[in-house]
């Protein structure tokens, strides 16, 4: 039983190179997350300025209110928040875990990295599917307009 624990512990040890790679990854991830948070803040500010500034002007040639763009910016900022948050959590927890040699915190950090990648993967699948759907609709629209 004790021999089995020793084997398990020795298998879970990180090499110094792996620790270095994780530290560098955490630094760059934190940088990218901070840039992401700044981008989200800018999107929200643009949304507010659009709602205030464009709401004061009228543009009769548009079939919808310009405040729709403001709402779209807020929705994009909200969607963008989650992967950036996961990336920041990964960077923070991994950096602390590597300095304190806390395996549970490292596991939590890597779980956040998994969540970040999973979110981006699912979002990418949704966007690619949406593009495919739009492409099929465009082809059908072209065929139907050619038949008229």
């Amino acid at each position: 039983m004790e021999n089995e624990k020793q084997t398990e512990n020795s298998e879970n040890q990180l090499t110094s190179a792996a620790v270095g790679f994780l530290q560098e990854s955490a630094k760059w991830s934190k940088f990218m997350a901070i840039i992401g948070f700044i981008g989200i803040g800018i999107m929200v500010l643009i949304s507010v300025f659009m709602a205030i500034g464009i709401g004061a002007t009228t543009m009769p040639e548009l079939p919808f209110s310009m405040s729709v763009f403001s709402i779209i910016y807020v929705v994009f900022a909200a969607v963008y928040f989650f992967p950036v948050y996961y990336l920041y959590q990964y960077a923070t927890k991994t950096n602390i875990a590597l300095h304190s040699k806390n395996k549970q915190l490292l596991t939590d950090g890597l779980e956040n990295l998994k969540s970040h990648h999973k979110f981006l993967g699912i979002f990418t699948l949704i966007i690619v599917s949406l593009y495919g759907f739009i492409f099929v609709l465009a082809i059908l629209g072209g065929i139907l307009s050619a038949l008229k």
Side-chain angles (χ1 to χ4, degrees), residues 17-141:
V19 170
F21 295 147
L22 283 171
Q23 285 175 332
E24 190 171 344
S25 172
K27 286 178 189 175
W28 282 107
S29 294
K30 190 169 191 175
F31 171 74
M32 294 303 295
I34 290 170
I35 295 298
F37 284 131
I38 291 170
I40 291 168
I42 290 170
M43 288 176 76
V44 170
L45 282 175
I46 289 172
S47 171
V48 169
F49 288 133
M50 285 173 51
I52 293 170
I54 296 175
T57 63
T58 57
M59 296 182 169
E61 65 273 1
L62 293 176
F64 51 84
S65 171
M66 287 300 287
S67 62
V68 169
F69 285 124
S70 177
I71 293 168
I72 290 171
Y73 263 68
V74 170
V75 169
F76 282 162
V79 168
Y80 191 50
F81 173 79
F82 293 102
V84 171
Y85 175 76
Y86 291 139
L87 190 62
Y88 184 79
Q89 289 297 308
Y90 156 72
T92 304
K93 289 178 181 180
T94 300
N95 195 28
I96 293 169
L98 292 173
H99 288 294
S100 66
K101 297 183 181 179
N102 184 330
K103 289 182 181 182
Q104 183 57 48
L105 202 53
L106 181 59
T107 301
D108 293 345
L110 292 172
E111 181 181 10
N112 280 295
L113 183 61
K114 180 227 25 136
S115 296
H116 169 78
H117 292 316
K118 184 176 178 180
F119 186 96
L120 290 179
I122 291 170
F123 190 72
T124 301
L125 285 173
I126 291 170
I127 295 299
V128 168
S129 299
L130 186 62
Y131 283 159
F133 181 69
I134 291 169
F135 183 71
V136 168
L137 286 180
I139 289 174
L140 291 175

